[in-house]
Amino acid sequence: MSTLLVKHATLLITMDDLRREIPEGGLFIRDGFIEQVGPTSELPEAADEVLDLRGHIVIPGLINTHHHFYQTLTRAVPEAQNANLFNWLKTLYPIWARMTPEDIYISTQTALAELALSGCTTASDHLYLFPNGSRLDDEIAAAREVGVRLHASRGSMSLGESQGGLPPDSVVDTEDHILRDSQRLIETYHDPKPGAMVQIVLAPCSPFSVTGDLMRESARLARQYGVHLHTHLAETQDEEVFCLQKFGYRPVAYMESLEWVGDDVWFAHAVHVNAAEIQVFAQTGCGVAHCPSSNMRLASGIAPVMRYLARGVKVGLGVDGSASNDSSHMLGEARQAMLLARLAAGLEGASLSSQDAPPLMTARQALELATRGGAAVLGRSDIGSLEPGKCADFVAFNLSALDYAGALHDPVAALVFCQPQRASYTVVHGRMIVKDGVLQTVDLQHLIERHNRAAQRLLQG
């Protein structure tokens, strides 16, 4: 049994139910789980490994609730730089159709390396096309080497252009194969226990790329095995028009008709929703992965995050992309969430008196979305806060950075208001994935070289 003592953190942010912020704080960890949290003076004096974090702020590991790792291979593609969602997809589908299993492996490690360096300890990825023999297994194998917790979503597309869908037929799959492979992956990889490093999610891609039958059967299979469900929903007004024309429902009502609501479901984006639909989410326990950078990049709109929170809807953050962000920086996404929510409040309150103006999202609320909020969305009670019995997933940022100069009167706010930094330490289940700002598990320079060669090959055709 191994132990780790973290001591002398300038400030330790627990995100526990009391939202304690502990000066001169620390953690005592045994075999990947937290045993004690408190001031350093109240913790054991010795452990197998000791980490002195004077001059650092420690927070729970950040949790990414929506991503497409493979898209790191197609960042800033010129033809897709100035397109809305549907045109962006149509531009990139043919490029993605050239991917190989090695491309999935490389891009997974690139995305997770970037996430880990930004303070992310758990990531949910949505892989929904499997060209040239690619499998979700390729992603899972790559993630194990990096050491970040993974919620691997078995995505799918079955509704090609010839059937009235958006994707070309070359990147869709048969529904029988999708369901068989989904069952195989759950039985092979899904770990429901506390501290799980891999969990499987079933995630048909979107209303415009799968049939209603596949949505229903995926929900049935997921609930049979006790795994979660995920899809894109209400991302753009184009999607709303598509759903009304093809199915006769707005997106949320369409999900209700397919039995795709419940506390085991979360939706990416959920931008274009009305008050009644927000109430559906609140009453049924659906979660939302808010992806502010992607929504801005593709001109999709502004999700009503503060209204979600006011109604008790579970909300986490997703970096999305990385061809619609085009980054994988979780702390940066928390900052974007705060700023975009404030812009929305300003637009909404422009004609209101100051006393009736909507509230502004605070820095602490943004960090809560990235920690506790993400854990709730993913259905994880073992991560998201620093408390006894929970996983030892935490991140430390060096407060002596130039970007924080003049902001140390509130280090928590500085993390979000100031320029997002790389983490000094990222620890997952008590294991240092990033140490002194350097990724410990993968040769980063070699990975970057391989990744750039793969991206060049894909774009050249």
Side-chain angles (χ1 to χ4, degrees):
M1 298 178 73
S2 62
T3 56
L4 170 64
L5 173 64
V6 178
K7 63 180 185 178
H8 298 305
T10 299
L11 192 62
L12 186 140
I13 311 305
T14 64
M15 285 293 172
D16 63 10
D17 290 344
L18 299 176
R19 309 301 194 270
R20 289 184 301 157
E21 300 178 2
I22 304 173
E24 189 66 12
L27 306 166
F28 186 77
I29 295 157
R30 189 183 304 274
D31 289 341
F33 291 93
I34 299 170
E35 278 195 359
Q36 296 181 55
V37 182
T40 299
S41 60
E42 298 178 6
L43 299 178
E45 295 183 358
D48 296 324
E49 187 173 7
V50 178
L51 180 60
D52 192 317
L53 288 178
R54 298 170 204 265
H56 291 75
I57 182 171
V58 173
I59 64 173
L62 304 178
I63 298 169
N64 178 26
T65 61
H66 184 67
H67 206 156
H68 306 291
F69 294 163
Y70 74 88
Q71 291 183 16
T72 55
L73 291 162
T74 53
R75 295 198 254 212
V77 172
E79 294 79 9
Q81 288 175 12
N82 304 308
N84 64 9
L85 176 65
F86 277 22
N87 291 322
W88 174 88
L89 284 168
K90 283 185 168 292
T91 299
L92 294 173
Y93 279 142
I95 300 173
W96 296 336
R98 303 175 193 135
M99 292 191 304
T100 66
E102 184 179 15
D103 294 329
I104 299 298
Y105 189 95
I106 293 169
S107 58
T108 294
Q109 294 203 334
T110 296
L112 286 173
E114 193 175 1
L115 286 167
L117 288 164
S118 77
C120 179
T121 55
T122 299
S124 178
D125 186 62
H126 190 183
L127 181 59
Y128 54 80
L129 71 172
F130 301 89
N132 306 308
S134 301
R135 302 193 304 168
L136 192 61
D137 308 64
D138 305 318
E139 175 177 296
I140 293 169
R144 280 178 171 162
E145 288 192 15
V146 180
V148 172
R149 293 187 199 279
L150 176 67
H151 281 231
S153 297
R154 204 306 180 179
S156 53
M157 296 195 296
S158 65
L159 191 66
E161 284 179 314
S162 64
Q163 297 175 285
L166 187 72
D169 290 353
S170 61
V171 296
V172 303
D173 202 350
T174 66
E175 297 189 354
D176 283 347
H177 178 261
I178 290 166
L179 293 168
R180 286 198 309 272
D181 194 50
S182 297
Q183 181 174 358
R184 177 189 69 82
L185 288 162
I186 295 169
E187 292 178 349
T188 303
Y189 295 110
H190 183 71
D191 181 359
K193 299 187 298 294
M197 291 299 294
V198 177
Q199 292 196 350
I200 299 297
V201 177
L202 299 191
C205 185
S206 64
F208 50 82
S209 59
V210 298
T211 67
D213 286 343
L214 181 61
M215 296 291 285
R216 289 188 190 92
E217 288 303 309
S218 294
R220 182 197 59 78
L221 183 62
R223 287 165 180 150
Q224 176 185 338
Y225 282 91
V227 304
H228 278 63
L229 293 161
H230 180 54
T231 192
H232 299 90
L233 193 74
E235 183 175 358
T236 67
Q237 290 178 324
D238 286 343
E239 179 189 327
E240 183 177 310
V241 171
F242 180 93
C243 287
L244 285 168
Q245 291 178 344
K246 189 167 183 65
F247 310 119
Y249 293 104
R250 286 170 55 85
V252 175
Y254 181 51
M255 292 297 104
E256 289 184 281
S257 76
L258 300 172
E259 300 182 357
W260 257 73
V261 292
D263 61 7
D264 57 352
V265 178
W266 87 98
F267 300 117
H269 305 296
V271 172
H272 297 278
V273 294
N274 58 35
E277 292 162 345
I278 292 174
Q279 193 60 28
V280 169
F281 288 175
Q283 290 176 343
T284 60
C286 294
V288 172
H290 176 42
C291 307
S293 294
S294 176
N295 295 158
M296 288 188 285
R297 206 271 206 190
L298 295 175
S300 299
I302 304 176
V305 174
M306 296 302 283
R307 294 183 185 179
Y308 283 141
L309 296 177
R311 297 293 185 275
V313 176
K314 298 177 293 190
V315 181
L317 296 182
V319 300
D320 200 14
S322 294
S324 65
N325 184 322
D326 294 19
S327 175
S328 305
H329 200 298
M330 270 301 296
L331 190 59
E333 207 64 31
R335 185 173 192 264
Q336 292 283 54
M338 181 186 74
L339 296 179
L340 189 58
R342 290 182 172 216
L343 174 61
L347 294 173
E348 184 180 341
S351 59
L352 302 175
S353 65
S354 58
Q355 66 182 37
D356 295 325
L360 302 184
M361 181 181 287
T362 69
R364 284 168 172 78
Q365 283 178 307
L367 276 179
E368 187 162 324
L369 295 181
T371 52
R372 285 179 67 106
V377 165
L378 297 184
R380 297 288 294 255
S381 60
D382 56 341
I383 58 176
S385 59
L386 300 179
E387 303 179 68
K390 294 206 173 185
C391 297
D393 293 5
F394 65 91
V395 190
F397 292 91
N398 190 339
L399 291 172
S400 67
L402 171 64
D403 304 79
Y404 298 144
L408 298 187
H409 35 266
D410 189 348
V412 183
L415 285 181
V416 182
F417 275 99
C418 300
Q419 179 66 25
Q421 299 297 297
R422 279 191 171 186
S424 297
Y425 294 88
T426 299
V427 177
V428 180
H429 213 68
R431 178 191 181 197
M432 289 190 200
I433 306 302
V434 174
K435 181 179 181 181
D436 293 323
V438 178
L439 188 68
Q440 299 295 294
T441 52
V442 174
D443 182 338
L444 197 55
Q445 189 55 49
H446 180 59
L447 174 63
I448 292 169
E449 292 169 359
R450 292 174 66 200
H451 189 94
N452 283 332
R453 286 196 298 270
Q456 185 178 27
R457 190 196 79 250
L458 288 174
L459 264 68
Q460 288 177 344

